[in-house]
């Protein structure tokens, strides 16, 4: 029987991304046949008695892929240590799903959840360059030179962002706001907010409208739907 790395097996079971599962192993949260495992090189067949935080881990036969239009006020995690509302409270399914990537508490929009560890790995791997499109409302009337800087790449604290697609959707002198559409294919923490701040603009609202080709335009805030697998994102 074929053996696979423990972290991949855990990811395939919907415990989390492969990287997150590596952290769980190093933290001593995983046991095989009653023995605590802390070595990342450990391989399994799946026939062993594998537990995570004391609960038996088994592969889900049915893979599910869910698109959520996340509202503001929910954190993107399975369980929050501070007792805040999480996105898991919005999606009730029998499968053990996890969020793919993150949206901060004050950002709304497209978020995928799944129990497919390979999907999580492919989605988060830089080589696939999955685009994320955001609508961002800024304080003040944005200048052309600021937009050009965002397009070329800006310093967000020791990291220069790669070229982005930036389009002005609206400017309102009376309200003193600008609205931009920004498309990136990186996933740095709070990247779009930091990009806008780097050109001196305060973000008033941020919404992720699309992941790849999948959008939430017709999906109300707080609602979700099933989608196809990784291929649909590139369709």
């Amino acid at each position: 029987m074929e053996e696979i790395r423990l972290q991949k097996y855990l990811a395939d079971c919907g415990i989390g991304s492969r990287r997150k599962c590596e952290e769980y192993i190093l933290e001593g949260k995983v046991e095989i046949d009653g023995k605590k495992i802390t070595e990342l090189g450990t391989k399994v067949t799946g026939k062993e008695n594998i537990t995570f935080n004391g609960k038996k881990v088994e592969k889900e036969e049915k893979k599910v892929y869910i698109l959520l239009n996340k509202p503001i006020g929910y954190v993107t995690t399975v369980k929050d240590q501070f007792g805040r509302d999480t996105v898991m409270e919005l999606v009730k399914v029998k499968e053990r799903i996890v969020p793919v990537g993150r949206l901060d508490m004050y950002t709304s929009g497209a978020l995928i959840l799944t129990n497919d560890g390979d999907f999580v790995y492919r989605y988060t791997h830089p080589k696939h360059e999955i685009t994320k499109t955001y609508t961002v409302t800024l304080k003040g009337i944005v200048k052309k030179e600021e937009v050009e800087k965002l397009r070329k790449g800006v310093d967000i604290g020791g990291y220069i962002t790669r070229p982005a697609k930036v389009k002005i959707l609206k400017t309102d002198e009376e309200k003193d706001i600008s609205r931009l559409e920004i498309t990136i294919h990186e996933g740095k923490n709070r990247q779009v907010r930091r990009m806008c701040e780097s050109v001196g603009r305060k973000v008033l609202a941020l919404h992720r409208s699309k992941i790849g080709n999948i959008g939430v335009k017709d999906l109300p805030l707080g609602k979700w739907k099933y989608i196809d697998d990784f291929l649909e994102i590139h369709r």
Side-chain angles (χ1 to χ4, degrees), residues 1-230:
M1 186 171 290
E2 183 183 2
E3 291 186 326
I4 62 173
R5 290 189 180 273
L6 178 58
Q7 55 266 42
K8 182 180 186 307
Y9 178 81
L10 293 171
D12 288 345
C13 293
I15 298 300
S17 67
R18 206 174 300 187
R19 187 177 300 173
K20 194 65 180 176
C21 289
E22 288 178 352
E23 292 178 15
Y24 291 148
I25 293 169
L26 293 174
E27 290 168 1
K29 295 181 177 180
V30 181
E31 293 186 358
I32 298 178
D33 296 330
K35 181 182 178 182
K36 187 178 293 185
I37 304 297
T38 56
E39 296 292 330
L40 295 181
T42 303
K43 292 187 175 182
V44 297
T45 64
K47 295 296 184 181
E48 303 87 350
N49 179 28
I50 302 171
T51 60
F52 169 66
N53 280 340
K55 294 183 179 180
K56 186 173 176 60
V57 174
E58 294 180 298
K59 269 193 178 183
E60 295 273 9
E61 293 300 322
K62 179 185 176 185
K63 301 298 182 187
V64 297
Y65 310 89
I66 289 168
L67 176 68
L68 169 69
N69 191 353
K70 174 193 169 300
I72 291 172
Y74 289 81
V75 292
T76 306
T77 185
V78 174
K79 188 176 181 180
D80 183 61
Q81 60 178 324
F82 303 111
R84 295 172 295 184
D85 293 331
T86 78
V87 293
M88 307 308 295
E89 295 168 41
L90 300 170
V91 183
K92 302 294 185 181
V93 293
K94 64 179 182 179
E95 292 84 7
R96 191 205 304 250
I97 56 174
V98 295
V100 185
R102 285 183 178 272
L103 283 180
D104 71 48
M105 186 174 182
Y106 302 105
T107 301
S108 61
L111 179 70
I112 295 176
L113 300 98
T114 185
N115 61 348
D116 185 344
D118 281 336
F119 177 96
V120 177
Y121 177 74
R122 285 178 291 168
Y123 177 96
T124 54
H125 199 289
K127 75 176 182 181
H128 293 293
E129 296 193 340
I130 296 172
T131 59
K132 294 99 176 175
T133 302
Y134 296 81
T135 301
V136 54
T137 303
L138 303 174
K139 177 68 175 175
I141 305 302
V142 71
K143 299 176 182 177
K144 288 184 179 179
E145 53 264 36
E146 294 169 344
V147 171
E148 196 57 35
K149 286 180 181 179
L150 292 172
R151 286 175 178 156
K152 290 181 177 179
V154 291
D155 189 339
I156 57 172
Y159 178 81
I160 306 297
T161 60
R162 296 178 66 180
K165 293 181 180 179
V166 183
K167 180 167 64 174
I168 299 176
L169 299 178
K170 176 183 179 181
T171 58
D172 189 323
E173 292 188 2
E174 185 177 337
K175 294 183 178 179
D176 194 31
I177 63 169
S178 302
R179 187 163 294 136
L180 306 182
E181 180 181 87
I182 299 178
T183 301
I184 61 175
H185 51 74
E186 300 166 283
K188 298 298 180 182
N189 184 39
R190 302 177 72 253
Q191 181 171 334
V192 174
R193 290 183 185 276
R194 292 162 67 193
M195 286 172 64
C196 294
E197 289 166 0
S198 75
V199 295
R201 293 294 170 185
K202 179 181 179 181
V203 176
L204 301 178
L206 184 59
H207 175 79
R208 185 158 70 189
S209 57
K210 292 174 67 177
I211 297 174
N213 292 321
I214 301 177
V216 292
K217 182 179 178 181
D218 299 320
L219 189 62
L221 277 171
K223 301 298 182 181
W224 60 273
K225 66 177 182 178
Y226 289 105
I227 58 173
D228 293 335
D229 62 11
F230 187 78

